[in-house]
Amino acid sequence: MTHPFLDLPPLSAARFASIEDRVARLLGTGQDVVITQGEALLPLEGAIRGAAGPGTTALNVITGPYGQTFGDWLRDCGATVIDLSVPFHTAVTAEQVRAALAEHPSVDFVSLVHAEAATGNTNPVAEIGAVVREHGALFYLDAVASVGAEPVLPDAWGVDLCVIGAQKAMGGPAGVSAISVSERAWARMAANPRAPRRSYLSLLDWKERWIDGGRRALLHAPAQLEMLALEACLERIEAEGPAAVTARHAAAARATRAGVLALGGGLRPYVHEAAEAAPVATTLRTPDGVAASELVARALESDPSLPLAAGGGALAKEMIRVNHYGPDATPGAVQSSLAALGAALAERGLDVDLHGARRAVEGAWR
Ligand SMILES: *Cc1c(COP(=O)(O)O)cnc(C)c1O
């Protein structure tokens, strides 16, 4: 019996390389792109362990839970870490980064998350990149939640290590990710005696055995399903046009925000400034006394396919996420999500304007 997922032929090195080239095109980068066969934490951790060591002084920008994780890895590598934290309902500014670098001239590594799906904020990477470049530090960026939802341009922004994943706005599986690596970043890793080698976490292995060898022989058997799915994600984005895809995500975020403000019922945008709200997901704060996880559970009872989730960890009490991942960045998904949340709020006796919310979404989408 044939099955679409089973008995797949091995993916050729040429096909693997062509998918890397398509990722490079999406990112507008001339840097080396390595596709990593694992969830995005694989290249995120591999890049830090490769580039950072006891001689590193890192400025770690924390705008959500992922920034905290990066700080832990950096410390574990022996780096001196300066944390720059901002409240999760805001973004960091280039001025804040500039001030931190001026205060700590020895910083030679800056880590930043572009957009945080977990908190719903997005940071001005282009402006921050200019500041980091001027200082001369290596610039590491987690663009997992931004790629496909907003432009991600490592070369234009001076990013040395840019990690993406397929599972958010690209609408793909969680088991495949990629990283673009600048010449400077390769040199930093090559000079780091503690950089992983002969290890699944090693990016240098891919540089030396795959890229420098002309991308003719893969290091191990490629994960066919994930690679084919990543290729399909890229094809779909290319077919719609990257600008149209990011415009659709921006419209979804704008419309959700407008709809929530019109809906009322005590629900409000979690990120205070619209310009700091991520196009990949709109986070909402629930009214006092209404547990976000319960409201989401009630809304999902009416339609389990809605792109709604409660915040993770402690945020489950007060945060709702309306995800705009790929095919969910549509007027229909936004309308249905707000209608279901509105109905759940009304059940609790809160005053909501469902009609106003609907009109606000329509108006903001245009
Ligand atoms: C989603 C996401 C990742 C990937 O991590 P998961 O634990 O698989 O969700 C990494 N970084 C950021 C900023 C993300 O939003």
Side-chain angles (χ1 to χ4, degrees):
M1 256 195 307
T2 61
H3 187 285
F5 303 161
L6 302 181
D7 309 312
L8 297 171
L11 194 96
S12 71
R15 182 94 172 261
F16 194 97
S18 80
I19 300 169
E20 288 183 332
D21 292 344
R22 279 174 110 148
V23 171
R25 270 203 300 283
L26 178 67
L27 302 180
T29 183
Q31 298 177 10
D32 290 327
V33 167
V34 181
I35 292 180
T36 39
Q37 300 176 80
E39 204 275 336
L41 290 170
L42 171 64
L44 286 168
E45 181 173 353
I48 283 187
R49 295 199 184 276
T56 305
T57 303
L59 177 68
N60 181 47
V61 181
I62 302 178
T63 60
Y66 288 95
Q68 283 165 342
T69 300
F70 303 159
D72 293 340
W73 286 335
L74 285 161
R75 285 184 188 88
D76 192 51
C77 290
T80 302
V81 182
I82 294 132
D83 285 325
L84 170 58
S85 301
V86 301
F88 290 179
H89 62 263
T90 66
V92 72
T93 66
E95 270 321 301
Q96 286 171 306
V97 173
R98 185 190 298 282
L101 291 174
E103 196 184 328
H104 304 281
S106 61
V107 167
D108 59 4
F109 185 99
V110 174
S111 49
L112 176 72
V113 176
H114 186 184
E116 298 251 10
T119 49
N121 51 17
T122 186
N123 295 300
V125 182
E127 292 164 38
I128 293 168
V131 171
V132 174
R133 250 301 126 114
E134 203 178 298
H135 186 83
L138 210 67
F139 190 20
Y140 164 98
L141 185 71
D142 173 351
V144 176
S146 51
V147 69
E150 52 190 309
V152 175
L153 301 167
D155 290 12
W157 298 344
V159 179
D160 295 288
L161 294 156
C162 182
V163 173
I164 66 159
Q167 80 264 39
K168 300 266 169 74
M170 292 181 83
V176 65
S177 47
I179 179 166
S180 67
V181 186
S182 72
E183 283 305 322
R184 293 190 331 142
W186 284 132
R188 185 82 71 97
M189 286 188 228
N192 178 6
R194 297 234 237 161
R197 284 175 182 270
R198 305 280 154 176
S199 153
Y200 206 63
L201 277 176
S202 175
L203 294 169
L204 279 175
D205 285 0
W206 284 87
K207 163 81 170 140
E208 290 165 6
R209 295 163 59 196
W210 169 245
I211 296 172
D212 291 350
R215 296 195 297 179
R216 276 192 292 272
L218 288 160
L219 272 58
H220 49 71
Q224 302 105 308
L225 269 181
E226 284 76 10
M227 292 300 295
L228 295 174
L230 175 59
E231 188 177 51
C233 288
L234 292 159
E235 263 166 19
R236 189 168 68 176
I237 291 171
E238 287 167 14
E240 185 178 351
V245 174
T246 54
R248 192 159 51 71
H249 284 82
R254 195 169 63 234
T256 304
R257 197 172 180 90
V260 162
L261 291 171
L263 182 68
L267 202 61
R268 55 199 194 280
Y270 187 88
V271 176
H272 294 190
E273 298 292 331
E276 297 179 342
V280 72
T282 302
T283 46
L284 308 174
R285 191 183 283 281
T286 50
D288 284 345
V290 177
S293 51
E294 288 171 22
L295 205 66
V296 166
R298 186 72 190 99
L300 289 176
E301 264 173 43
S302 66
D303 180 355
S305 73
L306 293 175
L308 296 174
L315 294 171
K317 278 212 276 299
E318 58 184 27
M319 182 196 280
I320 291 175
R321 282 167 48 181
V322 184
N323 291 328
H324 312 307
Y325 299 176
D328 283 332
T330 58
V334 171
Q335 293 286 20
S336 313
S337 297
L338 294 189
L341 290 173
L345 286 167
E347 263 179 20
R348 293 172 171 255
L350 290 152
D351 197 15
V352 291
D353 180 0
L354 291 169
H355 185 65
R358 175 161 279 280
R359 277 208 322 258
V361 169
E362 279 167 12
W365 195 281
R366 286 187 214 112

